Amino acid sequence: MEFATMMELLGSGFVFTLQIFLTTLVGALPLGVVVALARMSRFKPLALLARFYISVMRGTPLMLQLMALMFGPYYLLGLQMGNDWKYVACSVGFIVNYAAYFGEIYRSGIQSIPRGQYEAAAVLGYSRLQTFMKIVLPQVIKRILPAMSNEIITLVKDTSLAFVLGIMEMFSQAKAIAASQVSMVPYVVAGVIYWVFNFIVEIILTRVEKRLNYYHD
């Protein structure tokens, strides 16, 4: 196989890798806020439910969760899902898994804000929503960004787990090419692409962190 053909196949796989990455961020970042607020809720049943959800998502392998979503409808309900179901299962699996991690990071950031700031905002006439959006959230974003950066970089590598659902993302393409060519070169090239992608993500997150330096603790 020519190198150009191999790069074309890996490139088509990278499109799926990028799609999984972006879909997860778009879904998990806002869902994580909901999870964090539920986890901190004074309504005990809701807080316990959120705590159980986080425990299950963090305590079981993502690969197992993906397989459960893929095959669960058939084995549990006898439903025959279409060929596109694997993409839905993949998106839902990644989103609900990472929302649990993001939720705990959000919670730690929110709870790190001194109570006095909420009281001062109330004295100034801020509503609870205004207090959160204008005072709490900017500080929380700055404080949680390093931890979020680690999770986002991990997500880039975790996209390779989509291979268990038969999705031809970049790792799956590399594995198929390596098997047909009996060569390690596709793995090496895929590894370089993963590293470059992570490097770009790291640069973007570092710049975002620097832009937030005007929020001093």
Side-chain angles (χ1 to χ4, degrees):
M1 179 182 293
E2 295 182 358
F3 185 76
T5 303
M6 181 183 69
M7 290 302 298
E8 183 178 350
L9 291 172
L10 290 176
S12 66
F14 181 72
V15 171
F16 283 111
T17 295
L18 186 60
Q19 180 179 329
I20 296 168
F21 175 76
L22 294 176
T23 300
T24 302
L25 288 185
V26 170
L29 287 174
L31 182 58
V33 176
V34 176
V35 172
L37 295 177
R39 177 73 173 78
M40 296 184 296
S41 174
R42 295 181 181 178
F43 184 57
K44 289 298 182 182
L46 179 60
L48 289 174
L49 180 62
R51 190 170 184 175
F52 176 74
Y53 160 74
I54 292 170
S55 178
V56 171
M57 290 297 105
R58 298 200 304 174
T60 57
L62 175 56
M63 184 183 296
L64 178 61
Q65 296 166 22
L66 293 172
M67 294 179 69
L69 285 167
M70 178 68 180
F71 302 109
Y74 176 74
Y75 287 117
L76 297 177
L77 304 173
L79 298 176
Q80 293 282 359
M81 310 303 291
N83 189 49
D84 290 337
W85 172 246
K86 61 184 178 182
Y87 300 105
V88 177
C90 180
S91 298
V92 172
F94 271 91
I95 289 171
V96 297
N97 178 273
Y98 270 85
Y101 288 92
F102 290 159
E104 282 295 88
I105 294 173
Y106 289 146
R107 182 178 67 87
S108 65
I110 293 171
Q111 292 181 336
S112 70
I113 305 300
R115 189 63 193 173
Q117 295 196 24
Y118 293 91
E119 296 170 353
V123 171
L124 294 173
Y126 282 80
S127 66
R128 294 181 65 178
L129 180 60
Q130 288 175 322
T131 300
F132 181 79
M133 296 301 296
K134 296 183 178 181
I135 298 176
V136 176
L137 186 59
Q139 298 179 77
V140 167
I141 292 174
K142 180 196 171 186
R143 295 185 183 195
I144 69 174
L145 198 55
M148 292 292 288
S149 298
N150 288 335
E151 288 299 324
I152 292 172
I153 288 174
T154 300
L155 170 60
V156 175
K157 295 176 288 185
D158 277 353
T159 57
S160 62
L161 295 176
F163 83 93
V164 300
L165 304 185
I167 296 175
M168 294 301 290
E169 40 69 56
M170 187 167 62
F171 176 75
S172 299
Q173 289 284 12
K175 185 172 67 170
I177 298 170
S180 65
Q181 300 297 311
V182 194
S183 171
M184 284 292 295
V185 173
Y187 288 125
V188 173
V189 175
V192 171
I193 295 174
Y194 277 121
W195 175 74
V196 171
F197 185 33
N198 261 327
F199 185 68
I200 293 172
V201 171
E202 184 179 354
I203 290 175
I204 293 172
L205 293 172
T206 300
R207 288 186 177 181
V208 171
E209 191 171 354
K210 287 182 178 179
R211 288 184 65 120
L212 292 174
N213 278 340
Y214 57 83
Y215 289 116
H216 296 290
D217 295 327

